[in-house]
Amino acid sequence: MRIDLHTHSTASDGTERPAGVVAAAARAGLDVVALTDHDTTAGWAEAAAAAAEHGVTLVRGAEVSCSHRGTSIHLLSYLHDPAHPGLAAEMAKARESREHRAERMVQRIAGDFPRLTWDVVQAGTASGATLGRPHIADALVRLGYFPTRDAAFAEVLHDGSPYYVPHYAPDPVTAVTLVREAGGVPVFAHPLASNRGRVVGDDVVEAMVEAGLGGLEVDHRDHDHAAREHLRSLARRWDLVVTGSSDYHGAGKENRLGEHLTAPEQLERLLDQAVGAAVVAPR
Ligand code: AMP
Ligand code: FE
Ligand code: FE
Ligand code: ZN
């Protein structure tokens, strides 16, 4: 069983449509794939139809933006009820704030990269998509300012950049509580991805566990060996599910589907806790 529990589509900052991600998962030899777009479930219906067609089991999810005292962290939510008002409202609030934040970042960046406009960013963004810095990066690439998304991040879009503007996000304890209330399973995404910016300490993980955190994403390309060992020890201490995943973004990042996998018994433990939505099994 090949299980990859973290991918993105054009519903957020991936470059392939939801159906395209599922088709790519089938080609990559995955048996199970989760679609986890940032702050949205808009890709679920299309992905579900594609899963039936391509013979892949789909775990429907989302990656909920959170902020702990200004440090940005990501919470994967699996199989929550998308109609749960509290969780849906938090994700909608984050999406709306992301729009304003992106416009303000574009204004700032345009001071030094004058061909960048809001229209150029929108031209490369699927309608209704959760806007992120990758959409601005792609616009800068299309304009010829940078060769790749990564280069645009390294120069102008990283967390410490003078052009950086934060957006609204709930704190992680609130988000964990809401995911559980919605019947979903909350898993802390890449908790020690320190190459992207600040990370939180074990005390914050512990507070999330007390609120109902179900798992830790351990095997991820942004974790070195020491980070993975530390997270495995935390998972043992608090009896958490351990996952591994690619964080696939299509052509937007080098991450390849299936580059890290989740063990079948870990997926089983996760599914046993999920009551908000069902997996979509192939016909
Ligand atoms: P945002 O959610 O708008 O703050 O942007 C964060 C997103 O940008 C992450 O979810 C990644 O998909 C992407 N990202 C972060 N760092 C990089 C990087 N160095 N290169 C490419 N994409 C990145
Ligand atoms: Fe992303
Ligand atoms: Fe993430
Ligand atoms: Zn992600």
Side-chain angles (χ1 to χ4, degrees), residues 13 38 74 98 101 132-134 150 153 196 249 253:
D13 57 5
H38 298 284
H74 289 166
R98 281 168 161 283
R101 172 266 201 147
R133 284 176 282 164
D150 272 339
F153 262 88
R196 299 195 190 175
H249 282 69
K253 279 178 152 186

Side-chain angles (χ1 to χ4, degrees):
M1 282 271 276
R2 285 169 52 79
I3 302 161
D4 185 341
L5 293 182
H6 185 163
T7 70
H8 296 267
S9 73
T10 49
S12 64
D13 57 5
T15 62
E16 287 167 357
R17 291 196 55 90
V21 173
V22 172
R27 283 198 305 275
L30 294 177
D31 302 288
V32 181
V33 69
L35 181 71
T36 53
D37 279 304
H38 298 284
D39 302 315
T40 186
T41 58
W44 282 20
E46 183 180 313
E53 185 184 326
H54 291 282
V56 177
T57 294
L58 175 71
V59 176
R60 294 174 288 178
E63 187 172 16
V64 182
S65 304
C66 302
S67 174
H68 174 77
R69 298 188 183 154
T71 297
S72 159
I73 64 182
H74 289 166
L75 182 72
L76 292 159
S77 173
Y78 295 108
L79 299 170
H80 63 271
D81 174 1
H84 181 274
L87 181 58
E90 282 299 326
M91 293 206 288
K93 201 169 161 185
R95 283 199 307 274
E96 216 174 284
S97 171
R98 281 168 161 283
E99 292 257 350
H100 299 298
R101 172 266 201 147
E103 286 192 52
R104 288 174 59 201
M105 284 190 70
V106 165
Q107 282 167 7
R108 288 189 184 187
I109 297 166
D112 291 323
F113 300 86
R115 284 181 288 126
L116 181 68
T117 62
W118 187 237
D119 282 349
V120 178
V121 175
Q122 290 215 297
T125 307
S127 88
T130 301
L131 269 173
R133 284 176 282 164
H135 297 104
I136 304 173
D138 291 351
L140 290 164
V141 170
R142 285 199 302 283
L143 290 168
Y145 284 122
F146 296 100
T148 61
R149 240 187 214 191
D150 272 339
F153 262 88
E155 240 2 71
V156 304
L157 292 162
H158 60 91
D159 291 20
S161 154
Y163 308 109
Y164 184 81
V165 178
H167 63 79
Y168 169 80
D171 78 77
V173 165
T174 301
V176 164
T177 305
L178 287 171
V179 169
R180 284 291 186 189
E181 275 180 25
V185 184
V187 173
F188 196 162
H190 46 74
L192 294 177
S194 49
N195 53 328
R196 299 195 190 175
R198 275 181 324 228
V199 299
V200 295
D202 294 352
D203 55 324
V204 175
V205 183
E206 185 168 15
M208 292 166 73
V209 169
E210 280 162 12
L213 186 69
L216 298 176
E217 186 179 59
V218 174
D219 291 307
H220 184 285
R221 68 157 58 207
D222 293 346
H223 290 157
D224 62 17
H225 180 75
R228 294 179 199 200
E229 285 310 302
H230 181 66
L231 290 169
R232 270 186 240 285
S233 79
L234 294 186
R236 274 194 299 273
R237 182 185 310 166
W238 292 313
D239 196 27
L240 300 170
V241 172
V242 165
T243 70
S245 37
S246 64
D247 206 351
Y248 179 69
H249 282 69
K253 279 178 152 186
E254 287 173 9
N255 310 31
R256 299 283 56 115
L257 282 164
E259 66 176 33
H260 294 293
L261 297 169
T262 297
E265 62 273 18
Q266 298 295 321
L267 175 62
E268 206 163 306
R269 281 182 68 195
L270 194 152
L271 296 182
D272 283 346
Q273 302 174 35
V275 294
V279 297
V280 179
R283 275 193 288 268

